Structures are given as C-alpha cells and as structure tokens.
Amino acid sequence: MAPQEFEDDVRRVLERLTSGTVMTYGEVALEAGHPGAARAVGTFLARGGTGLPWWRVVTSTGRLAPGHEREQAQRLRSEGVRMNNGRVVMRARSKDPK
DNA sequence: CCCCTGACTAGAA
DNA sequence: TTTCTAGCCAGGG
C-alpha cells in the first residue's frame, strides 16, 4: 500500500466526525479499513493531528490524550460531550454506575 | 531484514 | 477499581 494511504484513510474518517460525537482509536482504525491499528491511529494523531478533530478521539475506556487532557476536556465539554472525572462517559455500559 | 517507539487494547492480577 | 502484560499496526533507523 502506498505511503500515506493509511493517514489519508484515517483522515477521511475523522473529517466526517461532527461536533459532539466521539470515537475510540479502535473504532477509527476499523472505520478507516485498518482493523487493529488503533495504536497506529494514536501515533498518527500525535504527530499529524493538526488540522483534524483529534479531540473527538479517546481511548476505549474514555481516557483522554496524555499531555493534552486540559485542552481536550475543554473542547469536548464545549461540544456538549458528557464526562465523569476527566473521562468521557462511554455508552453501552452494562454495569450500574452507582 | 532486525529492532525500537507509541495519544491503543483486552485480559489477567 | 487500578496496575501490569502481552499482543498489534504503521513508521522510522
């Protein structure tokens, strides 16, 4: 596969993310057609995230980007994303949050 | 071709 | 619930 194609694939997925929506690295990788490349997605966003809605991507547990928690949390909050103790509230949780 | 790094993950402790 | 560990993918030396 041609160089940068991976990045283009990821970019395409992120570009269609709307305000208020959030995806995990794994989901982005899958959508981009690179299942299992969650880590690679993170590596890419860490260096070429500029110009992309990187703050709408979080870990599978709702964790934010190391070193950017502040900014990311603020941006997400301004978009109405619900969080809990610095972690994005993930859906599909079978456990009772008591 | 070998080795290492990293904004990840699922599963075991 | 939190920490550790072993896989995984794409890049770069």
Side-chain angles (χ1 to χ4, degrees), chain A residues 17-24 27-28 55-59 72 76 79 81-82 88-90:
Chain A
L17 267 184
T18 60
S19 176
T21 55
V22 177
M23 280 182 88
T24 69
E27 293 174 322
V28 173
W55 59 90
R56 313 218 246 240
V57 184
V58 301
T59 70
Q72 184 166 17
L76 287 176
E79 295 188 353
V81 176
R82 296 176 56 250
V88 176
V89 177
M90 305 307 272

Side-chain angles (χ1 to χ4, degrees), chain A residues 2 4 7 9 12 17-19 28-29 32 37 47-48 53 65 73 85 93:
Chain A
Q4 266 120 26
E7 305 187 353
D9 292 333
R12 264 194 290 284
L17 267 184
T18 60
S19 176
V28 173
R47 47 172 211 84
N85 189 8
R93 77 176 353 175

Side-chain angles (χ1 to χ4, degrees), chain A residues 53-71:
Chain A
W54 59 268
W55 59 90
R56 313 218 246 240
V57 184
V58 301
T59 70
S60 62
T61 57
R63 274 272 169 40
L64 303 185
H68 296 226
E69 295 98 356
R70 274 296 188 80
E71 186 181 347

